[in-house]
Amino acid sequence: MLLAANACQAHDPTPAATGGPLIAYTLPKSTPWFQAGDVSFVLAQGKTPIKTWTKQMDASRLGGLTSPAFTTDCKHAFAQYADEEAGRYPYDGGDIKAQLVWVDIASRQIHEAAIPARSRTSSHQPGTYRDYPLPN
């Protein structure tokens, strides 16, 4: 099942000649919350996947990937991964895990940056990818 997708055709006026536009999409965990499962972030050229990042989510964890996006110059595709233990309240921040994942379009390299966990309260929200600017 496709969770979310985004496409980019910057700087290439003939996407058909290269196999189609760049498309980034995420695949959600297909198992129930009480079983382990994988989530994936994929960069594709048309219908052909060219780079995939996969993360295994342990059992009893909730979360997944945000909708993917491209930087305005189409040099990077990115998504945020986050998970937390089911049933934790109040959240102390120690069990919330988050990462920014991005693909450099030119080199096809995948990068990750941890987003520090913080308590989830009305005055102190967890960090997001907006806190971490991508190169350029």
Side-chain angles (χ1 to χ4, degrees):
M1 175 162 80
L2 185 69
L3 175 66
N6 198 340
C8 191
Q9 294 186 31
H11 312 299
D12 187 1
T14 58
T18 60
L22 289 173
I23 301 168
Y25 60 92
T26 58
L27 299 169
K29 183 176 151 188
S30 61
T31 57
W33 67 271
F34 53 86
Q35 293 178 351
D38 293 341
V39 294
S40 297
F41 171 49
V42 181
L43 178 67
Q45 184 93 50
K47 295 180 182 180
T48 307
I50 54 177
K51 205 64 178 178
T52 302
W53 177 88
T54 300
K55 178 84 167 183
Q56 181 173 15
M57 292 182 65
D58 295 334
S60 298
R61 300 203 58 91
L62 301 174
L65 289 156
T66 60
S67 297
F70 286 90
T71 55
T72 55
D73 60 6
C74 288
K75 290 184 178 183
H76 302 93
F78 62 94
Q80 177 186 331
Y81 167 80
D83 72 29
E84 59 192 59
E85 187 175 352
R88 293 270 313 229
Y89 185 81
Y91 294 99
D92 60 9
D95 194 52
I96 300 170
K97 298 175 185 174
Q99 292 176 289
L100 174 64
V101 181
W102 73 95
V103 179
D104 181 302
I105 302 298
S107 69
R108 306 293 200 241
Q109 289 185 316
I110 294 179
H111 304 274
E112 300 175 12
I115 298 174
R118 293 188 275 180
S119 296
R120 185 183 302 199
T121 67
S122 59
S123 63
H124 197 176
Q125 296 296 315
T128 71
Y129 65 85
R130 290 171 198 84
D131 299 331
Y132 297 87
L134 293 172
N136 300 320

